[in-house]
Amino acid sequence: MTQAEDKKPRSDEARTTYDPEITSEFAIPAGLEVSRGGGEPETTSEFAVPSGLQTRQQPAAEAEGSAFSLPSTYSAQDAPPAFTPATGIPAVSLIKDAPWQDRMRTMLRMPVTERPAPEPVQRAEEGGPAIPRVLDLTLRIGELLLAGGEGAEDVEAAMFAVCRSYGLDRCEPTVTFTLLSISHQPSLVDDPVTASRTVRRRGTDYTRLAAVFRLVDDLTDPEAHVSLEEAYRRLAEIRRNRHPYPGWALTLASGLLAGSASVLVGGDVLVFVAAALGAMLGDRLAWLCAGRGLPEFYQFTVAAMPPAAIGVAFALAHVGVAGSAVVTGGLFALLPGRALVAGVQDGLTGFYITASARLLEVMYFFVGIVTGVLIVLYFGVKVGGQLNPDAALIVSQRPVVQIVASMLLSLTFAVLLQQERSTVVWVTLNGGVAWSVYGAMHVAGRISPVASTAVAAGLVGLFGQLLSRYRFASALPYTTAAIGPLLPGSATYFGLLNMAQNQVDKGLVSLANAASLAMAIAIGVNLGSEISRLTLRIGSAGKRRAAKRTRGF
């Protein structure tokens, strides 16, 4: 045998024979036959299918997989049974004749997976409108509603209604105090489109608010067929519209409001005129500060000084209770009842960030009023003005006069809010009903003022919601001005007076009473609105689902 032949590798048979030089414990003993494996040894795994188990033929795998593609083992015939909850799957049926606010609010309160598919009614052009333009229109409408004082939930419902009217069903609007955003995702595999808008200026104009509600109502109407260009044109007209009442009418309304409020707390004709003059002077000074660009805090401070100064002058003239009635009437014209109701309503509906911001705004306005009144009262006490904090208990009972005064207060409050003339009569009657209920419970029934205020405010919210549903409009024009007679003007004034006379404990108690009355008003209005929705509930996926209680953790 040559040296080259000796270097050749041995055959398999030779390797399987016994070789005395091999001493490994893994060597195959002689006489044991093993099966030959072909080529490279097969890779085994604990997930490999055993050789005796038969599996069905699987389709060929795709070249590139996706997170949204069906699994390779999925089969519609062999799919496991779907899980059905014990309560069953609710059937969603929205009544089309119901107001769009109720339908959209119902859909926003249900999970995304249970929302019914939209029925596009505004997609007349081929392929539908461009998504960015629809989102821009939605944000502009939401900006007008939020700047006008509408609640966050109602703003989200309006934005959701506009998107669905143009066929955008995968939309999620988000509303905070100064920021609006909306996100639309065409499908699960497409990138979402997000747009946002900042609300920088706020103004009270309920006529413009009603016009925006009519626009949204037409957009959601399947028989209207409002195109995107037509919606932009109407929105531009709404922005350009002037206020329905001139400046002199607003000044006169603020004076009449203060005079009516002074009558509610025991004032006569002289007090009525004095309170009206003080409120009108304060309103003109506030307009002057606004024209100079001063923040609203200083505007409220300046506006609170003239009524307080006239009240101190009455005290120096020894007119008795008239001075307190004048100051109380002036405070009625300044208390931010609209922002308070909106803030508490946002908190009750789960928009805590917006609610906190609005309540903080109310606090700043209130501090501005307190600053203006305290400055005047402090100097009035120093010069010998004897204002009586116990005068709040001496209020004459004149039911007819006070009901007429409460209706006049609501009417002038509606003018200050720039409401439509068609809504002024209804809100005036609503304000008279609110004061009548409060007087019957507190004066005749001797029930606590907080409970009486809450019940009266609840009726205001109930009637306001019913009127808004009847006219397919916002509920704010029917409720905000009607709560004017219930605002805690006298409790606020006497709390400030006690503090000015170094009676801090009594002052804090009176201010706490004023805060309790304000919260009772806001909660009562919201509760009345919710009761009306429960009694006139539209078809939905069962009752509203409330958040689970955390039980402290």
Side-chain angles (χ1 to χ4, degrees), residues 112-460:
V112 180
T113 56
E114 298 181 6
R115 293 176 183 172
E119 299 179 3
V121 296
Q122 308 293 344
R123 302 183 64 176
E125 58 268 23
E126 184 66 23
I131 293 177
R133 296 197 66 197
V134 175
L135 298 183
D136 178 70
L137 175 67
T138 303
L139 289 173
R140 292 179 183 273
I141 291 177
E143 177 190 8
L144 287 180
L145 294 177
L146 186 63
E150 193 65 65
E153 186 179 31
D154 293 326
V155 176
E156 282 196 358
M159 296 172 64
F160 193 67
V162 174
C163 287
R164 287 182 65 88
S165 65
Y166 287 102
L168 307 184
D169 57 332
R170 296 179 180 272
C171 288
E172 288 298 332
T174 304
V175 176
T176 57
F177 184 60
T178 57
L179 181 64
L180 297 168
S181 64
I182 188 167
S183 177
H184 169 68
Q185 189 173 14
S187 65
L188 293 176
V189 295
D190 293 330
D191 295 332
V193 180
T194 304
S196 62
R197 193 172 183 86
T198 303
V199 179
R200 302 190 183 277
R201 295 188 61 185
R202 299 178 181 272
T204 304
D205 189 344
Y206 282 2
T207 300
R208 179 180 296 175
L209 190 69
V212 176
F213 264 74
R214 283 193 295 268
L215 174 59
V216 179
D217 187 35
D218 292 339
L219 290 175
T220 56
D221 187 3
E223 299 179 359
H225 300 290
V226 181
S227 64
L228 191 63
E229 298 299 332
E230 177 67 15
Y232 266 108
R233 185 190 64 80
R234 291 180 56 179
L235 189 62
E237 290 180 355
I238 293 173
R239 285 181 174 273
R240 287 195 299 265
N241 283 344
R242 301 185 63 181
H243 299 309
Y245 306 102
W248 64 267
L250 299 180
T251 302
L252 180 61
S254 63
L256 293 177
L257 189 152
S260 303
S262 64
V263 173
L264 291 179
V265 293
D268 52 11
V269 178
L270 180 61
V271 174
F272 179 93
V273 175
L277 290 176
M280 288 189 290
L281 181 59
D283 181 77
R284 286 293 91 190
L285 290 177
W287 276 99
L288 181 62
C289 294
R292 296 294 185 270
L294 289 178
E296 288 184 292
F297 176 85
Y298 301 105
Q299 297 177 27
F300 275 85
T301 302
V302 172
M305 289 183 175
I310 295 179
V312 171
F314 270 73
L316 292 175
H318 304 288
V319 184
V321 70
S324 300
V326 171
V327 181
T328 300
L331 291 180
F332 263 88
L334 297 175
L335 291 178
R338 173 184 58 87
L340 174 66
V341 173
V344 175
Q345 182 179 359
D346 288 341
L348 294 176
T349 52
F351 295 85
Y352 301 113
I353 296 178
T354 307
S356 301
R358 289 192 174 185
L359 293 178
L360 184 63
E361 180 188 36
V362 171
M363 188 193 73
Y364 271 99
F365 291 162
F366 189 77
V367 171
I369 297 171
V370 167
T371 303
V373 175
L374 279 181
I375 290 175
V376 176
L377 292 181
Y378 179 78
F379 285 103
V381 172
K382 289 297 183 181
V383 297
Q386 298 298 325
L387 296 170
N388 184 14
D390 298 329
L393 303 177
I394 310 174
V395 178
S396 59
Q397 299 180 7
R398 299 170 295 175
V400 178
V401 176
Q402 290 179 336
I403 290 176
V404 173
S406 66
M407 296 177 66
L408 180 60
L409 191 152
S410 299
L411 187 149
T412 53
F413 202 174
V415 174
L416 289 176
L417 295 175
Q418 302 282 358
Q419 292 189 197
E420 292 180 311
R421 291 178 174 85
S422 59
T423 64
V424 171
V425 176
W426 295 106
V427 73
T428 301
L429 296 176
N430 203 6
V433 170
W435 182 261
S436 300
V437 173
Y438 171 79
M441 295 183 63
H442 177 55
V443 179
R446 300 190 180 277
I447 302 176
S448 66
V450 176
S452 303
T453 301
V455 173
L459 290 177
V460 168

